[in-house]
Amino acid sequence: MKKVSIILWVGLLSVVPVYPQQTLTLEACRNLAIQNNKELQISREQTNIASYEKQAAFTKYFPELSASGAYLRNQKNILLAEPGVFGALGALLPPEVNDLFRLDIQNIWIGGVSLVQPVFVGGKIVYYNQIARYAKELAEAMNDTKLQDVICRTDETYWQIISLSNKKKLADAYLQLLQKMHQDVEEMITEGMATRAEGLSVKVKLNEAEMAKTKVENGLSLARMLLAQLCGLPDEEPVTLADESLTPASSTSQSVSEDQTIDSRPELRSLALAVKIYKKKEDIALADLLPNVALSANYLITNPSSFNGFKREFGGMFNAGLIVKLPLSAWWEGTHKRNMAKAETRIRELEYNNAREQITLQLHQSVYRVNEARKKLIASSRNTESAEENLQHARIGFEEGVIPALNLMEAQTAWVSAHSEQIDAQIEVKLAEVYLAKAAGKLTPNLD
């Protein structure tokens, strides 16, 4: 029977997928998220589209060459004179003479090649090329915005896991303290040195600690699943993060100055490019009111030949010319369109100025948040040291019988609270630094 159980156990192990344990750094998680994010993939394709549009706009500088052809089948030929116009004399004339008055147009072939070279179109070709270049830069700036959003979400999830992982360790340690205390109090109740009420109080705290541990474990599992989804990893694959052994930052006393700049923010670059694009649209609206000049060259070929008495053969000719188009009635409508373009440009300028003010305020808030978080971490570290010392004295006093169980539980609760606040402060520093980098437009991955 024992041998059968061993075989069954080995069989179960053989069908359960086994994933190698891997340790991911923050930079590795960022790179995985960037590679697997669908929004970023769409954004990169949009950047490619803008690049192709820029190349397409450049082709407008070159001549436009086109070819055309047609075939017509007519029911009748054309007679230049009535059949009996020569009377009896017509019968005596050779067939070639009669053929001179008959045009064979039942089968007509027409072909042509045309070349048009713009000479002056009000500058529209130049403006369209500039707009295409700005549009490509705009697509790249929007891609940078999405890139920073992905990095920020990844960092938030990463540090949330670090926080929950350390709080799980703290919950385990707190649970062990209460379990040890519960055993000691039960022994003391048996010896008559503690009351049943004290035992019940410890048991209530023990139950609360077990529930808190369950909540932390559930939150940690969900956070790991979210990070796996962001990184494109299977949910079943066990992942360990490099920073799960959280230690206090060594430079927490350093303050961040406010001399940060927002010139690297991709949102501002996007709005600035939008202003440039709409200014070029103003120029295009003006160009629509100016004359257009183009050179034209054509070659036309027909069958029957129009140059040899409609003889059944191909014949053609070249021609060249200058085409000038002057809009006369378009000034009224064009003036209104240009005013519309100016109004749209003004809207984009106002949006840019408004965004710049808001982003500047956001940057200052991020600086304050980093400094505040670092000061909070220093204070929480001191509180943790005091709580450690207080718990040590309370434990010694409880073992010597000079401190009741209630005081020891209060010291344990204060110890847990102090450590939990220190973990929160450490994570808050990390996230505040992430938000500051994002506010300054410097939240970029290291792809080396």
Side-chain angles (χ1 to χ4, degrees), residues 165-362:
S165 176
N166 283 271
K167 286 189 175 182
K168 179 182 178 300
K169 297 175 184 177
L170 181 61
D172 292 336
Y174 182 48
L175 188 60
Q176 290 176 3
L177 287 176
L178 289 174
Q179 288 173 345
K180 176 66 168 60
M181 184 178 179
H182 181 260
Q183 294 175 358
D184 294 342
V185 170
E186 288 296 325
E187 292 177 359
M188 294 173 68
I189 291 174
T190 303
E191 297 174 359
M193 298 176 62
T195 64
R196 179 60 60 181
E198 289 178 326
L200 292 175
S201 298
V202 174
K203 192 171 184 179
V204 169
K205 282 288 184 180
L206 183 60
N207 292 335
E208 291 176 353
E210 290 175 347
M211 292 177 60
K213 179 185 175 183
T214 301
K215 289 181 179 179
V216 171
E217 289 175 343
N218 292 338
L220 181 59
S221 298
L222 291 174
R224 290 189 187 277
M225 290 175 62
L226 177 57
L227 183 64
Q229 180 184 8
L230 289 173
C231 296
L233 300 174
D235 296 338
E236 306 85 2
E237 184 174 352
V239 174
T240 302
L241 303 184
D243 295 296
E244 290 194 24
S245 299
L246 190 62
T247 56
S250 59
S251 59
T252 55
S253 60
Q254 298 178 357
S255 297
V256 178
S257 61
E258 296 184 38
D259 57 349
Q260 304 282 335
T261 61
I262 58 175
D263 296 333
S264 300
R265 282 291 291 261
E267 296 92 335
L268 286 182
R269 286 193 285 121
S270 298
L271 291 172
L273 289 167
V275 172
K276 292 181 180 180
I277 289 174
Y278 277 92
K279 282 186 177 294
K280 293 305 172 184
K281 288 187 176 182
E282 288 183 42
D283 296 332
I284 290 175
L286 176 61
D288 288 336
L289 306 178
L290 301 178
N292 294 340
V293 181
L295 294 175
S296 175
N298 304 278
Y299 180 76
L300 180 66
I301 186 171
T302 62
N303 188 344
S305 174
S306 303
F307 314 103
N308 193 11
F310 274 81
K311 188 176 180 181
R312 179 54 62 184
E313 65 182 12
F314 285 96
M317 70 172 181
F318 291 97
N319 63 49
L322 185 68
I323 303 173
V324 179
K325 180 181 178 183
L326 180 63
L328 299 177
S329 62
W331 276 89
W332 191 12
E333 179 186 4
T335 302
H336 296 308
K337 286 185 175 181
R338 192 175 181 218
N339 291 334
M340 290 170 55
K342 288 182 177 180
E344 289 178 339
T345 302
R346 182 60 181 161
I347 290 173
R348 300 301 176 269
E349 290 175 343
L350 292 172
E351 290 176 347
Y352 172 81
N353 293 332
N354 183 48
R356 189 172 185 87
E357 293 174 359
Q358 293 182 357
I359 291 175
T360 301
L361 177 60
Q362 184 186 60

